[in-house]
Amino acid sequence: MNKQVDFQKIGSRPVRPDGVDKVTGRALFGADFQMSDMAHGYILRSPLAHARINFIDTSAALEVKGVLAIVTGRDFPNIGAGQEAGGEGGGDMKDIAHNVMARDKVLYEGHAVAAVAATSKAAADEALSKIEVKYEALPPVMSLDLAMQPDAPLLHETMHTKGYDTQPDKPSNIAQRSLFTRGDVDAGFDQADVIVEGEFRTPTVHQGYIEPHACIANAGEDSQIVIWCSTQGHFDVRNSVAAVLATDINKIRVIPSEIGGGFGGKTTIYLEPLAALLSLRAGCPVKMTMTRNEVFRASGPASATRSVIRIGALQDGRIVAMKAWLAYEAGAFPGGPTLPGAMAVFAPYDVDNFHIEAFDVVVNKPKVAAYRAPGAPQSMYGSESLLNELAEKLGMDPIEFRLKNAVDEGTRAVYGPKFSAIGLKACLEAARRHPNYLEASRKKKEGHGFGVAVGFWFNVGLQSTATVHVNQNGSVTVTEGNPDIGGSRASMALMAAEELGIPYEDVRVVVADTDNIGISDVTGGSRVTYATGMAVIEAARKVKQDLCARAASLWNVEPEMVSWEQGCAVASPGVNTEAQPLTLAKLAASAPKTGGPIGEKASLNARGAGPSFSVNMAEVEVDKETGAVKVLKFTAIQDAGKAIHPSYVEGQMQGGAVQGIGWALNEEYIWDEQGVMLNPGFLDYRIPVASDLPMIDTQIVEVPNPGHPFGVRGVGETPIVAPLPAVCSAVKPPAKSSTAATTPSPIPHIM
């Protein structure tokens, strides 16, 4: 990490550069784009959760006046399995393509079966009503318990479970098994003085982004396709659309709009290939926008889960064994977040004996997508809840108990590598000193509960590209390839300003499309401030090196005799007594005489992303007659490494807390027995609003990440992990004094 301690710009709280456009309405989001000759695209969706498609007839629909094109599954090329999809959710491109448009079967209510481009919504509606589809209904598989039974109806007749030494002979709804194990877990439990065990379930929930999916595709006569869309990763959109349409990526340009929320849900594709193919067929641009109903029925929610977890400890509080059985709903196609869930479940704790087994299971629900630390909230809900119960049975303070077992620098994580510098213990110490914790430990009140939990996310680096160009007046333009969701333009500007020693206001940040910047991976995984920031810093350092060389040429000295200090080129003492410091503006003005335009690029695959830990505390009031829960206080403490813009770090912490509270208390998809969703709208799918919540108290901890020049570690995903166990532990009655383990429901037979 950079040895600099007294940052000049980093850690300040300037106004975000895109703020004025967004609050005045000038910013263009996905559905705001218009083209003069565009058609409108609409989708016919399946009313059944599980059925074979025996017949589709679009002939009558094509006769409707104003209808320009209709596509069904037969209009898409066949894609073989084995091509990995990009984005945070991942998966196989064949499955992504079949999720975009059904082929032989529909696998959830809302699955697209046909798409229409028409000159008006009325014409499209009439055409959709005239498309004839004959279905053969099949039994819907709507739960993990049913899906994992040996005789369950199969969604994919040729799918066999991966992850065993020997592939099972019989097809199954279980797509993948993941396993992490170390030591002798049975011997550990034999050694334990106290054992707790429990079963935990989480429902299907949605990310709840305000802006629906939207795009325009314009295919030219040369088959070049330009797509404007709301996305977290336009390079992944380009790659995925090219794969689904079996065309070259150099024929596709993707321009990201401003984005009205994503939280992982906009890291994949739904409308974009349909709009592109309709545009190719119709000969004009095609715009498509999901309704809120469609967003719920046909985009990717988070996995529902079932977990069975067991933890054993000695009387002195030392954990000696941990075991987890985790099952995740993948939705209609494989790709649930089983692996990160398994990696996270016991990640905060140093334990010699553990066994973690996780299953990815298909059901007749929409294919899941990433949702902020995908997989971790569900698995750590169970483990952190049990740790509170175990601490209570041992008579230990829940934070002291965690401190006794917390991982630290040098500890080997349950998923393999050793931790570098991490902030878990610092967060726990901050929580122990926090006024909300001290107050909760003093007061006991009927109907009130208090819960504490740790959150974790490992963070990623991945590929990023950035350019730094100096304008003629000494101002700077930074160009990068990540859509700005949480204030990343401001963060990039702060890092560039810090490195160059110039005012924040002199830096302008541009998010470029796929034709105007090098490859940049998705805005997700808590990677952008870390990885793209690293690219900005590297490009800025190259610019400084060039500036020093130019100053040296003006002074007729060697470049190594010039340094960059406080935004100026400065000659070493005694080298040239007439060499006065040259500002960036002066060097920019002389650029035509010293080599031309000043600008540099950095492309990298960032390594060393520092894991992030948090501690959350919740105080609740429960109405024992109605069961209504009111959150009275909520405290979020998290290690940011180094907070580039503290206000945006706090915003991430508060936003994640709100989403986690909603997940804990009232958010869930509701289906009937036939797999029809009953609450596809914000009126019945109840996300928390301001009146439901207290002020979210935040405290930023800074344990610098040695893998980043400024000490940054990602902060966007960890905040959603701990609220579930913190709130649920606050609601749960005190544990019984018995040290016997609870008995969960039987685990399904797998092999």
Side-chain angles (χ1 to χ4, degrees):
M1 186 193 130
N2 194 319
K3 298 297 184 182
Q4 181 180 7
V5 175
D6 297 325
F7 291 109
Q8 302 300 307
K9 314 294 186 303
I10 299 302
S12 62
R13 301 173 185 254
V15 173
R16 59 190 297 164
D18 53 326
V20 172
D21 283 349
K22 289 180 175 176
V23 300
T24 59
R26 288 197 297 264
L28 295 177
F29 294 84
D32 291 331
F33 287 96
Q34 303 286 334
M35 299 186 74
S36 59
D37 58 343
M38 71 183 185
H40 298 270
Y42 296 90
I43 297 173
L44 180 67
R45 299 188 181 276
S46 170
L48 303 176
H50 195 192
R52 298 191 190 281
I53 302 174
N54 290 333
F55 177 78
I56 300 179
D57 184 2
T58 61
S59 57
L62 284 166
E63 297 299 320
V64 174
K65 184 179 179 180
V67 171
L68 304 177
I70 298 177
V71 297
T72 66
R74 61 176 173 259
D75 296 303
F76 287 83
N78 290 323
I79 299 174
Q83 182 180 352
E84 183 68 20
E88 197 173 7
D92 191 283
M93 274 313 314
K94 179 180 179 181
D95 293 337
I96 301 294
H98 286 220
N99 189 49
V100 166
M101 180 65 74
R103 310 303 161 93
D104 299 328
K105 290 176 75 174
V106 292
L107 294 170
Y108 54 93
E109 186 243 352
H111 201 166
V113 295
V116 173
T119 56
S120 68
K121 184 178 187 303
D125 287 343
E126 183 179 351
L128 292 174
S129 71
K130 291 187 175 182
I131 297 175
E132 183 182 357
V133 185
K134 291 185 178 178
Y135 297 103
E136 176 190 341
L138 299 170
V141 180
M142 299 302 296
S143 70
L144 287 165
D145 293 342
L146 174 57
M148 299 182 78
Q149 294 303 315
D151 57 350
L154 296 174
L155 275 69
H156 306 280
E157 289 82 358
T158 60
M159 190 173 78
H160 293 74
T161 307
K162 298 177 182 178
Y164 287 103
D165 293 336
T166 302
Q167 179 176 291
D169 295 329
K170 186 179 178 181
S172 168
N173 291 320
I174 303 170
Q176 178 76 43
R177 170 186 179 255
S178 299
L179 181 67
F180 294 93
T181 187
R182 186 190 301 160
D184 187 334
V185 74
D186 291 332
F189 281 117
D190 288 342
Q191 181 187 2
D193 295 316
V194 181
I195 298 173
V196 293
E197 183 172 356
E199 177 178 341
F200 303 85
R201 295 180 185 260
T202 65
T204 305
V205 296
H206 198 270
Q207 297 87 350
Y209 37 82
I210 300 302
E211 180 201 22
H213 298 268
C215 70
I216 295 179
N218 187 19
E221 290 76 9
D222 56 357
S223 298
Q224 295 288 326
I225 301 169
V226 181
I227 298 172
W228 294 262
C229 61
S230 176
T231 178
Q232 293 179 237
H234 41 303
F235 286 89
D236 288 329
V237 171
R238 182 183 68 173
N239 296 346
S240 297
V241 171
V244 170
L245 299 182
T247 191
D248 293 330
I249 62 171
N250 64 353
K251 291 188 175 182
I252 300 174
R253 177 186 179 192
V254 182
I255 304 171
S257 68
E258 296 294 345
I259 180 170
F263 311 110
K266 291 180 181 172
T267 59
T268 186
I269 55 170
Y270 301 105
L271 302 177
E272 294 85 357
L274 301 179
L277 188 54
L278 285 170
S279 180
L280 285 165
R281 298 290 178 88
C284 64
V286 174
K287 179 177 181 178
M288 303 185 77
T289 304
M290 283 191 181
T291 64
R292 184 62 58 187
N293 183 295
E294 289 180 300
V295 170
F296 275 106
R297 294 184 189 277
S299 68
S303 299
T305 64
R306 179 187 171 195
S307 306
V308 179
I309 298 175
R310 194 175 195 226
I311 305 174
L314 301 178
Q315 196 63 51
D316 66 0
R318 180 65 184 165
I319 297 173
V320 291
M322 306 181 90
K323 186 174 184 178
W325 181 97
L326 312 170
Y328 285 76
E329 289 184 358
F333 299 94
T338 55
L339 190 61
M343 293 167 67
V345 62
F346 300 139
Y349 304 105
D350 184 5
V351 59
D352 294 330
N353 308 298
F354 61 83
H355 181 94
I356 306 164
E357 191 175 22
F359 298 90
D360 187 35
V361 185
V362 294
V363 293
N364 290 122
K365 298 178 182 179
K367 175 175 168 44
V368 302
Y371 181 16
R372 228 175 166 161
Q378 298 98 313
S379 64
M380 293 188 73
Y381 159 52
S383 57
E384 288 295 306
S385 296
L386 279 182
L387 282 163
N388 286 333
E389 182 177 332
L390 186 53
E392 189 171 355
K393 289 188 174 184
L394 289 168
M396 293 186 67
D397 175 90
I399 290 181
E400 295 292 343
F401 177 51
R402 286 172 167 86
L403 277 167
K404 189 177 185 69
N405 294 282
V407 293
D408 205 347
E409 184 173 0
T411 305
R412 186 170 298 281
V414 295
Y415 52 87
K418 288 185 178 181
F419 287 111
S420 59
I422 52 175
L424 174 56
K425 288 187 176 180
C427 288
L428 287 165
E429 293 284 2
R432 182 166 58 177
R433 296 189 301 267
H434 198 281
N436 288 353
Y437 191 70
L438 297 174
E439 182 181 350
S441 65
R442 287 194 300 266
K443 69 178 185 182
K444 302 292 183 182
K445 185 177 178 182
E446 180 70 18
H448 282 224
F450 182 83
V452 63
V454 166
F456 165 82
W457 188 246
F458 37 83
N459 294 329
V460 296
L462 305 180
Q463 302 174 106
S464 285
T465 302
T467 63
V468 174
H469 290 282
V470 180
N471 301 314
Q472 293 94 326
N473 65 348
S475 63
V476 169
T477 299
V478 173
T479 306
E480 47 104 348
N482 283 105
D484 183 352
I485 296 181
S488 57
R489 286 186 181 94
S491 295
M492 299 306 127
L494 281 165
M495 285 185 274
E498 185 72 49
E499 191 62 40
L500 294 171
I502 61 176
Y504 166 83
E505 294 76 15
D506 287 355
V507 183
R508 180 169 181 260
V509 180
V510 176
V511 178
D513 63 57
T514 55
D515 277 4
N516 289 291
I517 193 68
I519 292 170
S520 297
D521 282 321
V522 66
T523 297
S526 297
R527 63 169 295 276
V528 174
T529 304
Y530 169 75
T532 305
M534 191 182 293
V536 169
I537 294 166
E538 184 176 317
R541 288 179 175 177
K542 291 180 181 179
V543 167
K544 288 197 305 184
Q545 186 176 5
D546 182 29
L547 291 168
C548 288
R550 290 170 187 254
S553 69
L554 292 172
W555 293 329
N556 196 28
V557 301
E558 294 299 319
E560 57 267 24
M561 305 307 294
V562 180
S563 60
W564 190 260
E565 300 175 14
Q566 299 297 316
C568 296
V570 179
S572 297
V575 171
N576 186 339
T577 57
E578 297 181 0
Q580 296 300 310
L582 291 173
T583 64
L584 183 55
K586 289 181 179 179
L587 287 166
S590 65
K593 297 183 293 184
T594 59
I598 303 169
E600 297 288 349
K601 181 187 81 169
S603 295
L604 49 82
N605 190 0
R607 307 294 184 185
S612 174
F613 291 88
S614 68
V615 178
N616 285 185
M617 301 180 287
E619 183 179 346
V620 305
E621 180 181 55
V622 180
D623 187 317
K624 293 192 174 183
E625 292 187 1
T626 66
V629 178
K630 181 178 181 180
V631 181
L632 302 175
K633 290 183 180 179
F634 196 94
T635 311
I637 300 167
Q638 185 172 326
D639 175 23
K642 177 61 184 177
I644 300 298
H645 193 303
S647 293
Y648 300 156
V649 173
E650 292 163 353
Q652 293 281 7
M653 295 164 69
Q654 291 170 329
V658 171
Q659 289 176 312
I661 290 168
W663 200 340
L665 294 179
N666 46 271
E667 293 186 41
E668 67 175 309
Y669 277 44
I670 300 172
W671 284 275
D672 67 14
E673 293 181 355
Q674 298 305 311
V676 175
M677 189 178 179
L678 301 178
N679 61 332
F682 283 145
L683 181 63
D684 297 313
Y685 180 92
R686 181 74 158 74
I687 64 173
V689 296
S691 58
D692 298 319
L693 299 160
M695 181 62 189
I696 309 296
D697 293 308
T698 60
Q699 181 177 341
I700 299 172
V701 171
E702 294 184 323
V703 177
N705 172 22
H708 189 274
F710 292 162
V712 169
R713 64 180 82 239
V715 299
E717 304 195 59
T718 306
I720 201 173
V721 179
L724 277 78
V727 172
C728 293
S729 294
V731 172
K732 184 181 177 182
K736 297 178 181 178
S737 58
S738 171
T739 59
T742 57
T743 303
S745 303
I747 294 174
H749 174 73
I750 307 301
M751 289 188 68

